[in-house]
Amino acid sequence: MDLNFIELLKIIFLGIVEGITEWLPISSTGHMLLVDAFIHTDMTQSFKDMFFVVIQLGAIIAVIVEFWSKMNPFVNIEGKGVRIKRSVFNMWLKVIVAFLPTAVFGLFLNDFLEENFGTPLTIAIMLIIYGIAFIVVERWNKTRQPKITSLKGLTYQAALIIGMFQVLSMIPGTSRSGATIVGALLIGVSRVVAAEFTFFLAVPTMLGASAFKLLKFGLHFSLSEIIALIVGMAVAYIVSVFVIKFLMSYIKRHDFQIFGWYRIVLGLLVIIFILFGVI
């Protein structure tokens, strides 16, 4: 990999795209694949496949930093030492329950889905399908009140259902956060709780996916590849901090329909690009 100034700018741009699209329900993988189709990075295919997943660790670190008080199950009580916060511990058990379906299906289907469905047309179709889903679900939600309005009120059954929806996000263009949020909204989870649980679920999911890709690639990197990974993760982290704050503030006053319309428009543009041979 020739890491010249232009290539470094491309990596920074990919980090920005990752930081924005990982947490907004618009498909980070889909955007990364589409952007790469235009900017053509000087990476081997095997490194690129790993890079697109591993730079998500920067986004994960941003979530951990931003939600540490809600994620940390331990509390130091003066005179009593360290104690476990039962509510946070139970929340992590629910995260594990939600993570299991993706862990199981990912082992058997990840490579197959990437090889057979990682195409611009598939991405476009999934962008449109879930864009429509967001609009339909949000309009339906206007006629009902959410049944689950706190992480504590989220049941293990609800967590498992959300986890099953996350499995659908293995198809490029779906969006991990998009699939889990749609699933959560369908079963009556409030927008804020749906987003927060999606953030927490991302931790084991993306750590597992990154570890899988690293082991598959092998721990043999050139200096240029190491720099590319560090820069990509650092940029994704910085951008993610702002995007997470924006999203949590936005959904307290608005619904997800705007992201649905964005997905539909982008999906149609991709189809037009395909028809004219641009990608």
Side-chain angles (χ1 to χ4, degrees):
M1 179 180 181
D2 182 17
L3 191 61
N4 53 41
F5 180 69
I6 299 300
E7 286 300 310
L8 190 59
L9 287 179
K10 292 178 181 178
I11 289 167
I12 291 173
F13 184 66
L14 287 170
I16 293 172
V17 173
E18 165 60 28
I20 294 174
T21 60
E22 185 59 50
W23 306 117
L24 302 183
I26 54 178
S27 178
S28 61
T29 302
H31 279 77
M32 296 284 278
L33 292 173
L34 292 174
V35 168
D36 181 65
F38 285 98
I39 66 175
H40 304 294
T41 56
D42 182 30
M43 300 176 180
T44 64
Q45 189 60 49
S46 59
F47 178 77
K48 186 187 299 182
D49 292 341
M50 181 272 296
F51 175 84
F52 283 175
V53 174
V54 174
I55 66 166
Q56 296 174 349
L57 291 177
I60 281 297
I61 294 172
V63 162
I64 293 173
V65 170
E66 289 299 305
F67 289 94
W68 179 245
S69 62
K70 290 187 176 182
M71 288 184 168
N72 182 17
F74 304 105
V75 58
N76 189 8
I77 302 175
E78 188 175 350
K80 296 183 179 180
V82 177
R83 294 289 186 272
I84 294 178
K85 291 187 282 188
R86 184 178 295 275
S87 60
V88 179
F89 181 78
N90 288 337
M91 184 271 293
W92 279 114
L93 289 178
K94 295 169 188 175
V95 167
I96 293 172
V97 168
F99 167 67
L100 287 176
T102 301
V104 173
F105 283 97
L107 288 174
F108 298 100
L109 296 177
N110 183 72
D111 290 344
F112 172 80
L113 291 174
E114 285 188 356
E115 291 172 5
N116 294 278
F117 293 91
T119 64
L121 180 58
T122 301
I123 292 169
I125 292 172
M126 299 313 294
L127 282 170
I128 293 171
I129 288 175
Y130 276 84
I132 294 172
F134 265 115
I135 294 170
V136 171
V137 171
E138 283 290 22
R139 290 185 176 179
W140 178 46
N141 276 345
K142 287 183 178 181
T143 63
R144 61 179 191 150
Q145 292 295 319
K147 296 181 291 184
I148 301 172
T149 57
S150 68
L151 285 171
K152 187 176 181 180
L154 192 74
T155 64
Y156 286 95
Q157 181 183 13
L160 181 60
I161 293 173
I162 293 171
M164 293 301 295
F165 270 89
Q166 181 173 250
V167 173
L168 301 175
S169 69
M170 293 173 62
I171 301 175
T174 299
S175 169
R176 191 198 61 79
S177 61
T180 54
I181 288 173
V182 165
L185 294 177
L186 278 172
I187 61 176
V189 180
S190 71
R191 296 186 191 96
V192 172
V193 174
E196 287 189 350
F197 191 73
T198 291
F199 292 158
F200 299 155
L201 180 55
V203 175
T205 301
M206 290 161 64
L207 286 176
S210 297
F212 178 79
K213 287 293 185 180
L214 283 170
L215 290 174
K216 183 179 178 181
F217 180 78
L219 302 178
H220 304 288
F221 302 96
S222 67
L223 179 60
S224 295
E225 290 172 338
I226 292 174
I227 294 173
L229 280 173
I230 292 174
V231 171
M233 285 190 289
V235 173
Y237 166 77
I238 294 170
V239 175
S240 289
V241 169
F242 292 99
V243 173
I244 290 168
K245 290 180 179 179
F246 160 76
L247 182 62
M248 295 310 297
S249 174
Y250 178 86
I251 60 177
K252 289 177 181 177
R253 302 184 302 274
H254 308 281
D255 60 27
F256 286 102
Q257 287 195 64
I258 188 172
F259 301 112
W261 287 114
Y262 171 83
R263 292 177 64 105
I264 293 171
V265 171
L266 180 60
L268 292 174
L269 283 175
V270 172
I271 291 175
I272 291 172
F273 288 149
I274 293 171
L275 293 175
F276 283 90
V278 178
I279 55 176

